């Protein structure tokens, strides 16, 4: 099993897809990394040898890419900075609401969480 940037790549997947399991690496960047490392796109992770895994790690380092922990930390610090400033986007992050202008009347369930049920009001009957 190949391990790159502290992440175990999934078994028996094409390398082009397997590299997208790294935080911050998409399909396009995955293809560029594999081209720089001279590894075929359709090579399976189970067939990857140590030399090819080392070349992939070096290709990521040479490009100066931030992946996994470094990138997560930078994103978290950026959000924390916005919240400390008290700007609109920071307030939206603090409240757990969408920060980029989406409507919240009917949608935004991903940010707001599951719906809270309506309280049912019952009529009292006079006896």
């Amino acid at each position: 099993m190949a391990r790159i940037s502290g992440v175990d790549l999934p078994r028996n997947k094409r390398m082009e897809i397997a590299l997208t399991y790294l935080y911050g690496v998409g399909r396009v960047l995955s293809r560029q990394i594999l081209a720089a490392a001279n590894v075929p796109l359709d090579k399976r992770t189970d067939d990857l040898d140590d030399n090819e895994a080392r070349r992939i790690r070096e290709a990521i380092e040479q490009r100066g890419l931030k992946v996994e922990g470094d990138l997560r930390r930078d994103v978290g610090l950026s959000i924390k900075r916005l919240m400390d400033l008290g700007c609109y986007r920071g307030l939206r992050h603090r409240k757990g609401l969408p920060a980029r202008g989406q409507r919240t009347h009917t949608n935004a369930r991903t940010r707001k969480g599951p719906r809270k049920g309506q309280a049912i009001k019952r009529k009292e009957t006079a006896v």
Side-chain angles (χ1 to χ4, degrees):
M1 179 180 294
R3 187 170 178 84
I4 297 175
S5 297
V7 174
D8 291 330
L9 296 181
R11 293 186 162 275
N12 201 26
K13 283 200 182 280
R14 295 174 57 226
M15 282 306 298
E16 177 184 8
I17 303 300
L19 281 181
T20 63
Y21 280 68
L22 296 174
Y23 183 78
V25 177
R27 292 282 292 268
V28 172
L29 189 56
S30 170
R31 289 179 185 154
Q32 292 172 359
I33 291 169
L34 291 173
N38 293 326
V39 177
L41 298 176
D42 57 347
K43 185 151 190 125
R44 298 282 173 163
T45 53
D46 293 339
D47 302 333
L48 197 69
D49 61 3
D50 294 334
N51 189 26
E52 289 170 330
R54 181 184 50 78
R55 287 197 316 245
I56 291 172
R57 280 189 217 101
E58 288 173 358
I60 292 173
E61 289 173 10
Q62 283 177 352
R63 290 175 151 259
L65 298 174
K66 288 187 178 180
V67 293
E68 279 303 318
D70 294 336
L71 184 58
R72 287 182 199 270
R73 189 177 322 104
D74 283 354
V75 170
L77 287 175
S78 296
I79 292 172
K80 186 177 183 319
R81 180 181 59 82
L82 290 172
M83 290 192 298
D84 291 343
L85 284 174
C87 65
Y88 181 78
R89 281 174 52 203
L91 295 176
R92 301 295 282 183
H93 276 291
R94 190 177 299 150
K95 291 178 182 177
L97 294 170
R100 294 187 177 183
Q102 296 89 341
R103 69 180 291 140
T104 57
H105 178 67
T106 56
N107 295 330
R109 290 276 49 117
T110 301
R111 287 290 298 181
K112 291 169 70 174
R115 291 177 60 181
K116 295 170 181 72
Q118 282 301 133
I120 300 173
K121 295 181 181 179
R122 297 183 186 191
K123 294 181 181 178
E124 292 184 27
T125 56
V127 179

